[in-house]
Amino acid sequence: MNPGLRSGELAEAAGVNLQTLRYYERRGLLAEPRRSPGGHRLYPAEALTLLRVIKTAQRLGFTLDEVAELVDLGTHRHGRRADTSLQRRAATKLTEIETKIADLQAIASSLRAALDAGCDDLATCATSACCPIPLAALDRGEPTR
Amino acid sequence: MNPGLRSGELAEAAGVNLQTLRYYERRGLLAEPRRSPGGHRLYPAEALTLLRVIKTAQRLGFTLDEVAELVDLGTHRHGRRADTSLQRRAATKLTEIETKIADLQAIASSLRAALDAGCDDLATCATSACCPIPLAALDRGEPTR
DNA sequence: GGTAAGCCTGTACCCGGGTACCGGATGCAA
DNA sequence: TTGCATCCGGTACCCGGGTACAGGCTTACC
């Protein structure tokens, strides 16, 4: 069995700071890896995949806590015939994600409209209260937070 | 012409803190509104729409600077036959958004798979390096940041 | 066995995005 | 014109997500 990645190697491969690995470990996102006799961390190869997943999810606007939850949902053995609480958390997360997708699509199409109208069409309404309007499509009026 | 919203009313309507309005003003996200003779802010009704747009975009993982940019792209008069720099920024933003959508869709479908497999199917691989794999679909290996 | 690169723990700091609090001025209604 | 809610500017603080640094131990290679 090969010795595994050292922390520096993993950090480099994942494009994150070495300190970040330890930070994630403290946060419980990254399991404590085994150690060399002298106490140096030795990570399994999958840790790299996990890190990339974390980074991607983060780019999408998930907090680290949420990422931890997502990772749990995917990772955890969820006992056979899982306790439905996990299922429910996954379902919830899924609808959250679907909402985000819909919102992004609304933004994207406004931008697209703005682009291929070349702004001249939009300029017709530019005089006053018009221009936020394409974006306003995604206004749901939730008193966010 | 009606007097406009007072800061408290606007904050309440938008579900944000009063301080946040001033913060956004400092950041340049919210234009300085006109003032009452005594110096109290009086916002036009569109400010509410704008705030909702800001909040939505934020939920999607845009930073305030990015939101400012998006809002500019939509709001600004971008002179007729706009300087292409704006067009280009919009195009860039659009591909960013499309990327986010694709990533979210990847996450969503893994979650969906996990859900309707009821985790039992996934459990077959659960022994070791398997479970992050559905999420790993969206691993692009970008050395993010 | 010497030595440079790498890693260890711990603590302190940074940035983004707000939020709270202060003492004082304003708005508005009775 | 008095009284209370609201708002003002300014400054200080909080939280999430890292990042840096110090002082000391390990590893790896000659």
Side-chain angles (χ1 to χ4, degrees), chain B residues 82-117:
Chain B
D83 54 330
T84 37
S85 81
L86 279 170
Q87 299 276 105
R88 266 188 293 106
R89 290 199 303 161
T92 303
K93 202 50 96 185
L94 182 54
T95 59
E96 276 173 43
I97 292 170
E98 281 162 348
T99 302
K100 286 192 184 206
I101 291 175
D103 287 349
L104 282 172
Q105 270 160 350
I107 291 192
S109 64
S110 335
L111 271 183
R112 234 173 263 122
L115 271 175
D116 40 73

Side-chain angles (χ1 to χ4, degrees), chain B residues 5 19 46 49 58 60 70 77-78 104 114 127:
Chain B
L5 294 156
Q19 327 287 345
E46 305 87 63
T49 304
Q58 239 185 337
L60 303 175
L70 275 170
R77 49 195 63 267
H78 8 60
L104 282 172
T127 15

Side-chain angles (χ1 to χ4, degrees), chain B residues 66-81:
Chain B
E66 288 172 328
V67 175
E69 198 175 336
L70 275 170
V71 167
D72 267 21
L73 291 171
T75 291
H76 235 262
R77 49 195 63 267
H78 8 60
R80 13 219 132 283
R81 205 89 315 262

